[in-house]
């Protein structure tokens, strides 16, 4: 019994220290916020609408409010000059000057390969960890998510940021729900999860959500 009491006290002490550390870190970063727009876009080399949007918004900010700097959080090996050149070459968007870059090294926690099952759940919570890295490295006044990582918004608000977002695709789409209801096993719907049944229409929505989270 004594051992369990000591173990409980030890866990409580470590938990208290950890929470205190988190609180101090957040308080410190909140007080050091910069009047900057920071774009949370871990993949800046994949093309598509989200990346095009970033450079259009950055260009507009530079033209309309040149005193407001722009920062890009990225997990790619990119420099300010390479991103500015890519914006021009790939999307024909000319920036007045290159954006600042904050490199992220925890991007593996949002990658599909990290979570063979319950992929979307893992990626969602992994994005919180990645945003923690981003915000600890640089805390902006304006946090702009352009990749659809909604779980990062409470974290950004905790750091005192004003949150903006661009949602290109919903986290759970109708085709995902249909696939789960039909118990179709595919690359993004594991066979083990697809085996969950939906015995009646009342439970179909719940079952679909469980299946989608298990992609």
């Amino acid at each position: 019994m004594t051992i369990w009491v000591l173990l409980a006290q030890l866990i409580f002490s470590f938990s208290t220290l950890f929470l205190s550390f988190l609180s101090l870190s957040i308080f410190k970063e909140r007080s050091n916020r910069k009047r900057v727009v920071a774009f949370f876009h871990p993949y800046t080399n994949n093309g598509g609408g989200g990346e095009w949007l970033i450079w259009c918004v950055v260009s507009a900010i530079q033209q309309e409010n040149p005193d407001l700097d722009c920062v890009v959080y990225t997990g790619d090996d990119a420099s300010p000059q390479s991103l500015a050149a890519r914006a021009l070459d790939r999307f024909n968007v000319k920036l007045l000057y290159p954006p600042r870059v904050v490199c992220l090294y925890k991007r593996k926690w949002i990658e599909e390969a990290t979570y063979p099952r319950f992929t979307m759940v893992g990626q969602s919570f992994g994005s919180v960890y990645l945003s923690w890295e981003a915000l600890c490295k640089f805390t902006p006044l304006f946090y702009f998510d352009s990749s659809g990582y909604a779980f990062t918004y409470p974290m950004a608000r905790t750091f005192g940021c004003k949150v903006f977002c661009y949602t290109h695709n919903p986290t759970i789409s109708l085709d995902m729900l249909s696939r789960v209801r039909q118990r179709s096993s595919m690359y993004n719907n594991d066979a083990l999860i697809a085996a969950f049944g939906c015995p009646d229409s009342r439970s179909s929505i719940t079952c679909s959500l469980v299946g989608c989270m298990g992609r």
Side-chain angles (χ1 to χ4, degrees):
M1 181 61 109
T2 305
I3 295 177
W4 289 109
V5 171
L6 290 175
L7 182 61
Q9 291 177 342
L10 186 62
I11 293 175
F12 177 77
S13 298
F14 274 111
S15 300
T16 303
L17 289 173
F18 179 69
L19 292 175
S20 299
F21 172 75
L22 290 182
S23 300
L24 288 173
S25 298
I26 293 174
F27 178 78
K28 177 182 177 182
E29 299 304 331
R30 282 177 67 102
S31 62
N32 292 330
R33 281 177 302 169
K34 308 295 190 301
R35 192 175 181 276
V36 168
V37 181
F39 295 86
F40 188 75
H41 201 87
Y43 298 92
T44 52
N45 291 329
N46 62 350
E51 189 180 350
W52 171 80
L53 174 91
I54 283 182
W55 306 129
C56 289
V57 174
V58 170
S59 176
I61 291 174
Q62 291 180 348
Q63 294 178 34
E64 299 296 330
N65 198 341
D67 294 331
L68 188 62
D69 288 334
C70 295
V71 169
V72 177
Y73 297 119
T74 177
D76 294 315
D77 184 13
S79 66
Q81 291 72 26
S82 68
L83 290 181
R86 180 177 174 79
L88 181 60
D89 297 339
R90 183 70 181 270
F91 303 100
N92 197 30
V93 177
K94 185 176 182 180
L95 304 181
L96 297 181
Y97 50 89
R100 299 169 62 180
V101 174
V102 175
C103 294
L104 305 178
Y105 299 101
K106 305 291 191 301
R107 193 174 69 178
K108 70 174 184 178
W109 297 109
I110 63 170
E111 295 177 354
E112 293 182 3
T114 306
Y115 311 98
R117 293 184 177 86
F118 294 98
T119 309
M120 295 182 69
V121 174
Q123 287 179 305
S124 296
F125 285 103
S127 68
V128 176
Y129 182 47
L130 187 63
S131 67
W132 169 266
E133 179 194 7
L135 292 166
C136 283
K137 286 185 174 181
F138 186 90
T139 306
L141 179 58
F142 305 105
Y143 175 92
F144 196 117
D145 168 48
S146 54
S147 298
Y149 293 106
F151 276 51
T152 67
Y153 305 163
M155 179 64 72
R157 289 295 298 156
T158 301
F159 275 80
C161 306
K162 296 181 179 180
V163 177
F164 300 84
C165 68
Y166 164 73
T167 303
H168 189 68
N169 292 308
T171 302
I172 298 177
S173 59
L174 292 177
D175 61 323
M176 295 180 190
L177 297 177
S178 175
R179 190 175 302 147
V180 173
R181 279 194 293 267
Q182 297 170 5
R183 307 182 193 179
S184 301
S185 176
M186 295 185 67
Y187 71 95
N188 61 352
N189 192 32
D190 188 87
L192 179 63
I193 306 302
F196 278 91
C198 301
D200 55 52
S201 59
R202 290 173 298 177
S203 63
S204 60
I205 296 178
T206 303
C207 186
S208 296
L209 290 175
V210 170
C212 285
M213 290 189 296
R215 336 177 14 213

